[in-house]
Amino acid sequence: MKRSQVREVADLVRPSEAPMQIALAPAPYASGTPSLRIGTTPHPETQRSFGAGEEIFAEGDRARFFYRVVSGTVRTCRILPDGRRQIDAFHLAGDIFGVEAGTEHRFGAEAVGEVRVIAYRRERMLLTGDDGALAQEVAAATLRALARAQEQMMRLGRKSARERIASFLLDLADRMTDGMAGSLRLPMSRTDIADHLGLTVESVSRCVTQLERDGLIALSPDRHSVRLRDRAALRHLDA
């Protein structure tokens, strides 16, 4: 068959519907780093709910999603080789977590209480167009997480137990809406606080009681709400 006849046959069998959309994925710039797809294919987010203590993802799970907290508090943590738990961070309403440079989650994530989150597929992280705002939010969240990680390193490395508690309360007050009024409801337990600050539960309780006795804070009868009575003195401890 002549070449011109082959072309005519191909034209007859070619489908008439519109061409399929194709999402292009750039090659990864480093070994082990997944490509982040850029395209026009929609990737709707999913809202999920978790009960107190329920696992959102485990350390070592494939990082297919990243998350935004809608309500409640999430803790990200890791179990150390000796069995102790280290809480990396507490994520409050509006915070983004689970963003990874590699293919797996380096920490596990658990709901502290009742939690609702929005799960986004990783491909959306670098999307253009309507998702450009989301990419900017992810970048800003990553920078805030880095700043908090640096503060946490200073807490654990250079501060006393009393100073760590003061710094922790001030940070929570700055991040929580009710904390701006000088009071905040602690969503996490004393054990959570101890595992976050590298202290024992007894040290946390002793330091909180001492701050209350000194007039820097006031505790509610159930001991779960804290009012910051003297921010200047707390900031002096945090300096």
Side-chain angles (χ1 to χ4, degrees):
M1 185 181 292
K2 294 182 180 180
R3 186 173 302 174
S4 60
Q5 292 174 316
V6 172
R7 284 199 297 267
E8 290 173 359
V9 172
D11 289 338
L12 289 174
V13 300
R14 182 177 297 133
S16 59
E17 57 266 20
M20 165 177 70
Q21 288 184 329
I22 299 176
L24 301 178
Y29 60 85
S31 176
T33 302
S35 59
L36 301 174
R37 185 176 302 161
I38 301 176
T40 58
T41 304
H43 298 277
E45 62 270 10
T46 303
Q47 191 162 141
R48 302 176 182 177
S49 297
F50 297 89
E54 193 172 351
E55 184 179 84
I56 300 172
F57 55 80
E59 177 185 350
D61 280 356
R62 287 190 59 80
R64 295 187 177 92
F65 298 89
F66 64 99
Y67 305 82
R68 185 202 303 272
V69 182
V70 176
S71 63
T73 302
V74 173
R75 59 178 172 248
T76 47
C77 54
R78 174 181 290 173
I79 303 301
L80 303 178
D82 60 5
R84 291 178 300 164
R85 181 183 65 164
Q86 179 64 51
I87 294 180
D88 163 63
F90 295 104
H91 306 278
L92 310 178
D95 287 349
I96 292 174
F97 67 98
V99 178
E100 301 288 353
T103 59
E104 297 180 349
H105 287 295
R106 295 169 298 125
F107 296 87
E110 302 167 345
V112 173
E114 296 294 321
V115 165
R116 285 191 300 124
V117 302
I118 297 175
Y120 300 94
R121 289 193 177 277
R122 283 181 60 95
E123 299 93 275
R124 297 196 64 180
M125 289 176 62
L126 293 182
L127 291 180
T128 58
D130 293 340
D131 291 306
L134 177 61
Q136 293 177 6
E137 288 185 55
V138 171
T142 301
L143 292 176
R144 288 193 297 269
L146 176 60
R148 285 199 292 269
Q150 292 171 334
E151 287 295 327
Q152 177 71 351
M153 181 178 64
M154 290 297 295
R155 284 192 198 115
L156 298 182
R158 308 297 295 179
K159 294 184 177 182
S160 67
R162 181 179 166 94
E163 291 167 344
R164 294 182 199 184
I165 296 294
S167 177
F168 175 72
L169 292 176
L170 286 170
D171 178 62
L172 272 186
D174 288 341
R175 296 171 60 199
M176 298 177 72
T177 303
D178 56 351
M180 300 304 293
S183 64
L184 58 153
R185 181 90 179 163
L186 296 179
M188 65 288 294
S189 66
R190 298 285 174 92
T191 301
D192 282 347
I193 295 172
D195 288 350
H196 178 54
L197 298 179
L199 301 171
T200 63
V201 177
E202 292 76 17
S203 293
V204 170
S205 297
R206 185 168 53 250
C207 290
V208 168
T209 299
Q210 185 64 50
L211 291 174
E212 181 185 30
R213 186 179 299 125
D214 292 344
L216 277 64
I217 64 173
L219 297 174
S220 63
D222 65 2
R223 314 293 283 181
H224 287 296
S225 291
V226 180
R227 182 163 61 89
L228 307 187
R229 299 181 61 187
D230 192 340
R231 282 180 181 254
L234 289 170
R235 293 196 185 282
H236 181 72
L237 280 175
D238 186 35

